Amino acid sequence: MNRRNFLHLIGCSCLSVSIHSCTTAPITERKQLRLIPEAKLNAQAAQIYEKIKKKEKLIDDKNLTDIKTIGKKMQDSISEYFYQSNLPDPTANFDWEYILIENKKVKNAWCMPGGKIAVYTGILEITKNKNGLASVMGHEIAHAVAKHSVERASRNIMLKASTQIIDILSGGKLSQVNRATGMNTVGLLSQIGILNPFNRKQETEADYLGLIFSSLSGYDIRETVKIWERMKEANKGKEPPEFMSTHPSSSNRIKQINEWMTEIIIKYPPIKIT
Ligand SMILES: [Zn+2]
């Protein structure tokens, strides 16, 4: 394959594969490659989520109540937004669920394909308040709503050879994560790619959509910038595995979020559920 054809495939121009394997991300309308059915990935994620629930120490306290309240507001607001916009609801096949995992060392949260969410107690020191928690959850939920895992898995099929190399590398990194945090579900999470970084375009998209979803749900998205600053502070001189290892922060990221802020507050005010 020459370089031009290769770029053509990666660029997801639809012509190279077939018209059905291309879709667009919600709201941003970025073109995406989709070779794997969403249902397949959701089912796989749900199975792994069940195993994680058995292996990790789950807590049911006021923080979990907050997580569930924020999550419910967000899932309703997202569905309502797409309904009012006369667009297909990307969360139509989601089976939302929320857990809080006791592990202070893990400053992270994730949302699996299909809406299976976990928050680690370590990140609560960073989020500090409901607006902060909403901004982290909004970002993670945005990865799932925009089907970033489906996109990544599809790309992996296209790039099989290089994927094997990446797998070997990330295998080493994952066992390092395991040792540093005592997370005994690192292997499980890697099966669904949850601890692997998304690419930069996907991260930017999750930042943007996350702000929109938080704003639609009635949270103060100005807290988002403060979160990134607290995250930077908490990670100073430390090794991964923090939220930052999969979410490289930079002054550019904060600058970008600041640039979107006013427009999003005006364009996506808290939505009334009809
Ligand atoms: Zn992210």
Side-chain angles (χ1 to χ4, degrees):
M1 191 189 312
N2 66 34
R3 188 168 174 268
R4 196 162 160 238
N5 283 343
F6 181 74
L7 289 175
H8 207 56
L9 289 169
I10 300 307
C12 182
S13 54
C14 297
L15 297 165
S16 323
V17 192
S18 91
I19 202 83
H20 298 291
S21 51
C22 250
T23 53
T24 55
I27 303 177
T28 65
E29 294 182 340
R30 182 177 60 84
K31 273 187 183 168
Q32 293 179 299
L33 179 67
R34 203 171 289 181
L35 298 171
I36 293 172
E38 184 196 352
K40 196 181 160 192
L41 213 59
N42 289 0
Q44 201 192 341
Q47 276 186 5
I48 293 171
Y49 194 70
E50 285 312 306
K51 287 184 191 166
I52 286 166
K53 285 200 278 183
K54 287 197 185 95
K55 281 194 158 189
E56 297 285 3
K57 190 184 172 207
L58 307 185
I59 329 187
D60 186 355
D61 64 0
K62 198 196 152 287
N63 288 319
L64 181 67
T65 312
D66 287 348
I67 291 163
K68 285 182 174 170
T69 308
I70 293 167
K72 183 75 174 70
K73 265 192 198 169
M74 235 170 241
Q75 61 188 74
D76 289 347
S77 305
I78 292 168
S79 291
E80 186 67 24
Y81 172 79
F82 286 101
Y83 173 73
Q84 288 184 15
S85 314
N86 228 344
L87 292 166
D89 179 359
T91 66
N93 302 319
F94 279 32
D95 184 12
W96 298 92
E97 218 178 318
Y98 305 87
I99 53 172
L100 175 61
I101 298 174
E102 170 70 61
N103 193 330
K104 289 258 189 299
K105 284 186 188 167
V106 182
K107 291 179 176 54
N108 213 342
W110 41 255
C111 177
M112 282 183 178
K116 303 293 191 191
I117 291 156
V119 176
Y120 293 83
T121 50
I123 205 168
L124 298 177
E125 294 160 18
I126 308 282
T127 55
K128 290 211 190 291
N129 52 58
K130 285 181 194 173
N131 292 321
L133 188 53
S135 85
V136 166
M137 287 175 68
H139 176 97
E140 295 305 326
I141 286 172
H143 278 304
V145 172
K147 317 284 157 79
H148 288 166
S149 294
V150 179
E151 191 180 9
R152 179 166 55 193
S154 304
R155 276 178 187 238
N156 282 352
I157 290 176
M158 305 278 291
L159 299 164
K160 255 229 144 104
S162 58
T163 311
Q164 283 165 354
I165 298 163
I166 291 164
D167 282 347
I168 295 161
L169 293 176
S170 62
K173 198 184 158 209
L174 291 176
S175 52
Q176 185 195 328
V177 171
N178 201 350
R179 276 197 304 276
T181 59
M183 261 169 98
N184 47 15
T185 50
V186 172
L188 279 172
L189 287 166
S190 70
Q191 286 174 26
I192 199 93
I194 274 298
L195 296 177
N196 301 5
F198 287 106
N199 69 38
R200 219 191 312 156
K201 270 186 194 166
Q202 292 174 322
E203 281 307 323
T204 305
E205 190 168 75
D207 281 342
Y208 183 70
L209 294 177
L211 288 171
I212 291 176
F213 298 157
S214 290
S215 185
L216 287 172
S217 311
Y219 293 99
D220 187 350
I221 60 172
R222 289 170 302 176
E223 190 70 20
T224 309
V225 171
K226 294 180 196 162
I227 291 277
W228 283 109
E229 278 159 2
R230 289 202 285 271
M231 198 87 74
K232 244 180 171 176
E233 199 56 38
N235 279 273
K236 256 186 192 160
K238 277 185 200 156
E239 284 292 299
E242 316 278 327
F243 188 78
M244 297 281 278
S245 69
T246 50
H247 295 82
S249 174
S250 64
S251 34
N252 270 350
R253 185 169 206 162
I254 294 172
K255 202 176 140 224
Q256 176 73 84
I257 289 172
N258 263 322
E259 277 169 17
W260 287 326
M261 198 77 72
T262 314
E263 189 204 323
I264 289 178
I265 292 172
I266 294 167
K267 212 170 152 197
Y268 300 92
I271 198 164
K272 283 201 182 70
I273 311 289
T274 51

